[in-house]
């Protein structure tokens, strides 16, 4: 995260997630693997909508799931946007090496055929534990080789909401997180105070309809929290 941005045009990257409350931002560049997550109460939809909304003009995005008939994310906001591909057939249940290879081959095919710049992957928690390592290595290789940004939605442990307090996600809350965090260039969590009944933060500022983007890992810049006021 960087502060005191003079203009968005100065930032190089496919997507610049910028606060509308101050000058904080995080820029997502080609070849980066980015972990995104949120607790069950908060959900990931607000963050996904913001990623898509703040992507560079004409940036082609593909949304896919590794689990057939996955209902974890409401993707209705993806409809009627020519730059976003959300094909039902591009989904696999990765339970063995053959299905893993099939998924990776289809990703490469879609990246090459559609000239994608951004890939968003959902449903990783359903992958057989024995193939998690190969899966993440493959995504990192694809991001690097094709110079695209790859977002992977990761699961958050239930203890995040069980420990009390503000219940903000941490890197240690990522399920099976050590390898994922090591390979990732960035990790961003979505947090909503108001989903837990708070009306003000510790500074006394209103948190109603405010989205906090916690940049917990950032190989290229600072870490911190980006504040974004959502439309009511």
């Amino acid at each position: 995260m960087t502060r005191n941005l003079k203009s968005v045009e100065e930032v190089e990257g496919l997507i610049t997630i910028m606060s509308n409350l101050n000058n904080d931002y995080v820029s997502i560049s080609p070849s980066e693997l980015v972990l995104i997550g949120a607790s069950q109460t908060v959900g990931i939809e607000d963050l996904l909508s913001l990623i898509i909304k703040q992507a560079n003009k004409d940036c082609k995005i593909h949304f896919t799931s590794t689990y057939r008939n996955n209902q974890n994310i409401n993707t209705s906001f993806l409809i009627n946007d020519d730059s976003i591909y959300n094909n039902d057939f591009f989904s696999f249940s990765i339970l063995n090496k053959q299905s893993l290879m099939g998924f990776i081959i289809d990703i490469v095919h879609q990246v090459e055929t559609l000239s994608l710049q951004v890939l968003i992957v959902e449903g990783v928690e359903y992958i057989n534990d024995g193939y998690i390592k190969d899966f993440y290595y493959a995504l990192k290789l694809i991001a690097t080789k094709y110079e695209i940004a790859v977002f992977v939605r990761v699961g958050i442990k239930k203890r995040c909401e069980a420990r009390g307090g503000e219940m903000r996600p941490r890197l240690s809350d990522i399920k099976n997180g050590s390898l994922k965090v090591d390979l990732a260039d960035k990790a961003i969590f979505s947090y909503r105070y108001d989903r837990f009944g708070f009306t003000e933060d510790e500074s006394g500022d209103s948190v109603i309809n405010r989205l906090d983007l916690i940049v917990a890992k950032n190989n290229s810049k600072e870490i911190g929290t980006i504040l974004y006021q959502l439309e009511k």
Side-chain angles (χ1 to χ4, degrees):
M1 187 179 70
T2 300
R3 293 183 171 85
N4 300 322
L5 178 66
K6 294 181 180 179
S7 68
V8 175
E9 288 73 17
E10 295 180 29
V11 182
E12 295 182 1
L14 292 172
I15 299 173
T16 301
I17 304 174
M18 187 173 182
S19 171
N20 58 2
L21 295 175
N22 54 35
N23 287 327
D24 290 346
Y25 74 94
V26 60
S27 182
I28 311 300
S29 300
S31 303
E32 288 192 325
L33 178 64
V34 183
L35 307 182
I36 56 175
S39 66
Q40 186 174 359
T41 299
V42 173
I44 201 72
E45 289 82 4
D46 288 332
L47 175 53
L48 284 176
S49 296
L50 194 58
I51 289 171
I52 292 168
K53 179 181 179 180
Q54 299 198 359
N56 287 358
K57 184 179 180 181
D58 301 323
C59 183
K60 292 184 178 180
I61 301 172
H62 192 109
F63 183 94
T64 186
S65 175
T66 64
Y67 188 68
R68 290 191 183 278
N69 302 319
N70 182 37
Q71 299 297 322
N72 280 356
I73 291 180
N74 176 9
T75 58
S76 59
F77 59 85
L78 299 177
I79 299 174
N80 298 325
D81 191 324
D82 294 336
S83 67
I84 299 171
Y85 302 88
N86 184 31
N87 301 326
D88 291 336
F89 68 84
F90 191 37
S91 299
F92 287 82
S93 295
I94 299 180
L95 302 175
N96 53 49
K97 189 172 184 179
Q98 183 178 1
S99 58
L100 172 63
M101 290 302 298
F103 182 79
I104 297 303
I105 289 171
D106 264 25
I107 285 181
V108 170
H109 175 72
Q110 296 296 329
V111 169
E112 292 179 342
T113 302
L114 301 173
S115 299
L116 300 176
Q117 285 89 40
V118 176
L119 179 69
I120 302 173
V121 183
E122 151 67 358
V124 177
E125 63 267 35
Y126 297 105
I127 298 177
N128 186 299
D129 289 344
Y131 303 105
I132 286 288
K133 181 178 179 180
D134 291 338
F135 177 78
Y136 274 90
Y137 274 117
L139 288 183
K140 180 60 178 175
L141 181 61
I142 290 171
T144 303
K145 179 178 180 180
Y146 293 98
E147 296 185 340
I148 67 172
V150 177
F151 291 84
V152 183
R153 188 233 183 186
V154 294
I156 301 297
K157 297 175 183 177
K158 292 182 179 180
R159 73 179 186 188
C160 175
E161 296 188 1
R163 63 173 168 252
E166 295 179 353
M167 295 170 279
R168 296 167 69 89
R170 308 167 184 168
L171 288 177
S172 58
D173 291 325
I174 297 176
K175 294 180 180 178
N176 302 317
S178 57
L179 172 67
K180 302 173 187 178
V181 172
D182 288 344
L183 286 177
D185 298 285
K186 291 181 172 68
I188 304 173
F189 299 123
S190 178
Y191 179 75
R192 293 275 303 269
Y193 278 95
D194 53 2
R195 293 286 174 86
F196 298 100
F198 296 103
T199 58
E200 296 181 346
D201 61 17
E202 58 276 8
S203 300
D205 296 324
S206 173
V207 294
I208 304 300
N209 293 317
R210 194 182 83 184
L211 176 66
D212 287 26
L213 302 178
I214 303 167
V215 183
K217 180 180 180 180
N218 188 353
N219 285 348
S220 58
K221 297 287 183 180
E222 301 174 8
I223 60 173
T225 302
I226 297 170
L227 307 181
Y228 192 87
Q229 189 65 42
L230 300 170
E231 296 179 2
K232 297 182 180 180

